[in-house]
Amino acid sequence: MDRIGIIGVGEIGRAIVDGLCDGVDNPPRIQLSPRGARTAAELSQRYPNVRVCADNQDVANRSELVVLAVRPQDRAEALAGLRVGDDGVVISLMAGVGIGELRETLGTGAPVVRAIPLPTVRERRSVTVTCPSHPVADDLFDGLGGALPLADESAFNVFSALTATLTTHYGYLATLTAWAARQGVPAEAADRYVRSLFQGVGRSLGDDKQSLGQLVGHHETPNGLNERIRTTWFDTANSEALAKALDALLADLA
Ligand SMILES: NC(=O)c1ccc[n+]([C@@H]2O[C@H](COP(=O)([O-])OP(=O)(O)OC[C@H]3O[C@@H](n4cnc5c(N)ncnc54)[C@H](OP(=O)(O)O)[C@@H]3O)[C@@H](O)[C@H]2O)c1
């Protein structure tokens, strides 16, 4: 698709535009909604193929593919009265908003696809879950690091729940660093070391020949320090508490 519209130009809208345009020879024509005005203006100045439209309907009118990237709580205002032609395609990034509701709100015969891009689409390095599979959506995200199409929304919700664990991981690293600083080591040294330690984890995860279980085993000395923290802190109770929080989130997403 050569004409892509984005309604809601915030963090993820910007990442998609960068991924589609930065260093790309023949980028698509991109229409942006006027809200998120500063980001939209910046993007239209940086990329000649990007323009800011008069309003959300103007975006839809000029686009074959419309990406909805507003916060879920802003959807009523953003989508009120919006008309998308039956020959278009809609991709919604809004967490927790089902296809049925979107179809009803938009009253369109156009295919509606949900997707969960991550900010690393900016570097075209993120796998994006889509539901249901649609060639236009899958093509778009293949170009941004890969599409992972799913047939049904209940599986999609499981992946949504997984994405919700990301900032907990950063919080975990911040907690480790703060703990080290409380022991009297310089905070900058702890910060630098924790970052280096977990960048190594990122690289190991890139090797998909090893299962996650094997990675645990390969990084642990039997009865060693890692095994001790894993079994004494990330014990059955802790692991069950995590599963319970995910179960509750999944129930809400469904
Ligand atoms: N961030 C992520 O990593 C991520 C990943 C996957 C999915 N998502 C989903 O993507 C959506 C956007 O997330 P985000 O993090 O990019 O949020 P964000 O940074 O807050 O951006 C939302 C944008 O929507 C604009 N907006 C608000 N009301 C609007 C309206 N009526 N018409 C047009 N635009 C309007 C906002 O403009 P103002 O600044 O003027 O209010 C803002 O620029 C959410 O539904 C989220 O669930 C996000």
Side-chain angles (χ1 to χ4, degrees):
M1 289 236 165
D2 184 50
R3 290 180 290 123
I4 299 175
I6 301 183
I7 295 180
V9 191
E11 172 70 20
I12 200 69
R14 176 210 290 267
I16 290 175
V17 174
D18 282 333
L20 290 172
C21 302
D22 196 16
V24 174
D25 282 341
N26 285 308
R29 279 177 286 167
I30 298 177
Q31 282 67 234
L32 302 179
S33 63
R35 277 286 290 274
R38 236 176 89 184
T39 308
E42 249 176 63
L43 291 168
S44 67
Q45 276 157 23
R46 190 176 317 151
Y47 304 115
N49 55 310
V50 174
R51 60 174 290 167
V52 183
C53 291
D55 53 35
N56 293 350
Q57 188 59 55
D58 193 25
V59 175
N61 293 346
R62 294 172 185 275
S63 307
E64 301 160 288
L65 165 62
V66 180
V67 178
L68 305 176
V70 296
R71 293 173 292 255
Q73 63 268 32
D74 292 330
R75 69 188 184 279
E77 187 194 331
L79 306 185
L82 189 74
R83 292 177 315 281
V84 177
D86 290 355
D87 52 350
V89 175
V90 176
I91 299 181
S92 167
L93 313 185
M94 291 183 287
V97 183
I99 291 173
E101 181 196 314
L102 283 165
R103 241 182 229 306
E104 204 170 302
T105 307
L106 294 172
T108 179
V112 177
V113 177
R114 293 179 66 188
I116 321 174
L118 299 176
T120 40
V121 290
R122 175 176 292 122
E123 296 127 42
R124 301 185 276 275
R125 282 201 334 210
S126 168
V127 171
T128 298
V129 175
T130 61
C131 174
S133 178
H134 187 283
V136 168
D138 296 343
D139 260 17
L140 176 79
F141 293 114
D142 273 340
L144 294 171
L148 178 55
L150 299 170
D152 76 278
E153 249 178 319
S154 53
F156 183 85
N157 288 338
V158 172
F159 283 86
S160 291
L162 290 179
T163 66
T165 62
L166 196 66
T167 60
T168 302
H169 187 67
Y170 291 122
Y172 167 70
L173 303 186
T175 304
L176 293 180
T177 308
W179 173 84
R182 283 200 303 280
Q183 309 314 306
V185 303
E188 309 79 60
D191 184 274
R192 185 172 165 218
Y193 190 67
V194 165
R195 283 172 192 262
S196 157
L197 203 55
F198 286 88
Q199 274 166 18
V201 169
R203 282 191 292 276
S204 299
L205 287 174
D207 172 12
D208 56 11
K209 285 183 204 71
Q210 295 192 69
S211 71
L212 295 177
Q214 283 169 330
L215 284 174
V216 172
H218 291 165
H219 286 81
E220 256 178 23
T221 306
N223 299 316
L225 308 184
N226 268 274
E227 188 189 281
R228 174 166 164 170
I229 291 298
R230 182 176 60 78
T231 54
T232 56
W233 177 68
F234 198 57
D235 56 7
T236 308
N238 200 340
S239 162
E240 281 174 3
L242 176 59
K244 213 167 139 198
L246 288 167
D247 287 346
L249 174 59
L250 187 58
D252 284 347
L253 288 170

